[in-house]
Amino acid sequence: MEDSSNAYLQLRAAKIARNQARLMELGLFRPPPTSTARPPQLKKTQNSAKRKSSAPLRRSSRHSERPATYLELLPAEPKRSKRRSDEARGNDSKAATVTLEPETKTFHAHSARAMNIHVGNLVSGGLLGTMMEQTGKAFVMEEAAQRSGIDVGNISFNKYSGVQEWKNDALFLWVNLGNGGDVVNDFLNDGRQITWFGGSRMHDETKVIRRLLRVGRAVGNGQSDSSDGLVLWCRRYNADQKGFTPYVCLGRLSYHSHEPGSRPLKFVWNLVDYDGLVNHEDETVRSTFQEFLRS
């Protein structure tokens, strides 16, 4: 009920009455709808939600509010001692041994690892001290394969590695001279020996390192077949042309020494064909070898 002593409210009531009378004259007046109050709804509380859930709760304090999963409701399997488990299987854990067969890797036909070459024929067949006609390792690989009776072009090999394996116990060592860098390859003992460094990921137990040691020692002890062995391929940096010369075959290598645990691994190899290089009948071979020694 409005206060009759308030002038503002009296004026407001008079305007409303006047407007309603005008609307009734025009036939537009509609009485205001009566208010229908909704019954108050009860708020859901956390306690009531808990009472409705019949699923068992987790025991963990961190997940106590979450229902347990199906796997967590399964009864726990009783623990069995290791001794009883071994007896149930009918064996003794101390006596049980597992024999692992050596892994045999298969290479596709165009891979150098699937090809046999003859090291002796390469060296004695005119390659000793000879500079290749083209630069790069690919030309050397194809030339070696052709001279071994393998007519396959585009040989697949790792051109970034400093060592290349073949199927038989034949390996190529690649050496750069005169280009500086973190490691420097150098000739020792008037050219009778040369240093060589393994890759950054190579260590004493790397398969190719163990193979190098085995083959290199076999050559030094005279226990290697003529088709197997290590072949040294060197190239020299030409400062005037700002590039490397083609590779030159400097013959076979045998093991002299290495520094176990060094990073990178450092080797010293013997040049088996040293006398053949310095006393070669071709003056070009002799002069080429001397240029490499001065690099």
Side-chain angles (χ1 to χ4, degrees), residues 40-292:
Q41 295 182 353
L42 297 177
K43 294 184 178 179
K44 293 182 180 180
T45 61
Q46 190 173 3
N47 294 331
S48 62
K50 288 183 179 180
R51 289 192 297 269
K52 291 181 181 180
S53 176
S54 60
L57 299 178
R58 301 171 182 261
R59 295 185 178 181
S60 170
S61 59
R62 186 164 59 93
H63 299 291
S64 59
E65 302 300 328
R66 302 180 183 179
T69 61
Y70 169 75
L71 294 179
E72 293 173 332
L73 299 178
L74 295 178
E77 183 179 355
K79 294 184 179 180
R80 300 166 61 185
S81 64
K82 184 177 185 301
R83 182 176 179 181
R84 294 187 61 185
S85 300
D86 293 336
E87 293 176 352
R89 290 193 297 266
N91 58 11
D92 187 357
S93 60
K94 295 183 179 179
T97 57
V98 179
T99 303
L100 298 178
E101 296 294 332
E103 181 181 359
T104 303
K105 189 173 182 179
T106 304
F107 300 93
H108 60 82
H110 285 263
S111 172
R113 298 292 304 276
M115 304 176 185
N116 293 311
I117 64 170
H118 199 291
V119 171
N121 291 344
L122 292 180
V123 176
S124 63
L127 282 184
L128 181 64
T130 302
M131 181 175 290
M132 297 290 97
E133 298 177 0
Q134 300 180 21
T135 60
K137 297 177 181 178
F139 186 84
V140 175
M141 297 294 292
E142 294 178 3
E143 185 73 14
Q146 292 178 3
R147 287 175 176 263
S148 299
I150 304 173
D151 188 14
V152 177
N154 298 325
I155 299 177
S156 174
F157 69 100
N158 185 357
K159 64 180 180 179
Y160 300 106
S161 177
V163 55
Q164 175 57 52
E165 300 178 81
W166 298 82
K167 182 178 181 180
N168 58 317
D169 280 338
L171 299 95
F172 287 177
L173 293 187
W174 313 100
V175 171
N176 296 330
L177 299 171
N179 62 319
D182 297 333
V183 294
V184 179
N185 299 296
D186 197 9
F187 287 97
L188 308 174
N189 195 12
D190 297 328
R192 292 177 174 83
Q193 297 169 341
I194 190 172
T195 60
W196 179 84
F197 297 86
S200 59
R201 297 184 179 181
M202 296 181 183
H203 51 81
D204 297 271
E205 298 303 319
T206 304
K207 289 184 179 180
V208 66
I209 295 297
R210 295 170 62 182
R211 192 180 187 190
L212 281 171
L213 291 171
R214 177 176 58 81
V215 177
R217 286 167 174 162
V219 173
N221 297 331
Q223 300 175 349
S224 176
D225 189 83
S226 61
S227 61
D228 301 331
L230 313 178
V231 181
L232 174 63
W233 294 92
C234 290
R235 63 178 181 177
R236 183 170 55 90
Y237 183 76
N238 191 323
D240 296 334
Q241 299 180 359
K242 297 182 180 180
F244 284 98
T245 64
Y247 280 100
V248 177
C249 175
L250 296 186
R252 296 162 293 177
L253 298 173
S254 66
Y255 173 80
H256 179 271
S257 63
H258 79 291
E259 298 179 4
S262 59
R263 288 296 181 92
L265 279 172
K266 180 180 180 181
F267 285 80
V268 176
W269 303 98
N270 298 316
L271 272 69
V272 177
D273 297 296
Y274 170 81
D275 292 336
L277 290 168
V278 297
N279 299 319
H280 202 281
E281 60 182 8
D282 190 343
E283 193 276 334
T284 302
V285 173
R286 299 195 303 270
S287 61
T288 299
F289 182 55
Q290 294 301 320
E291 289 178 2
F292 274 82

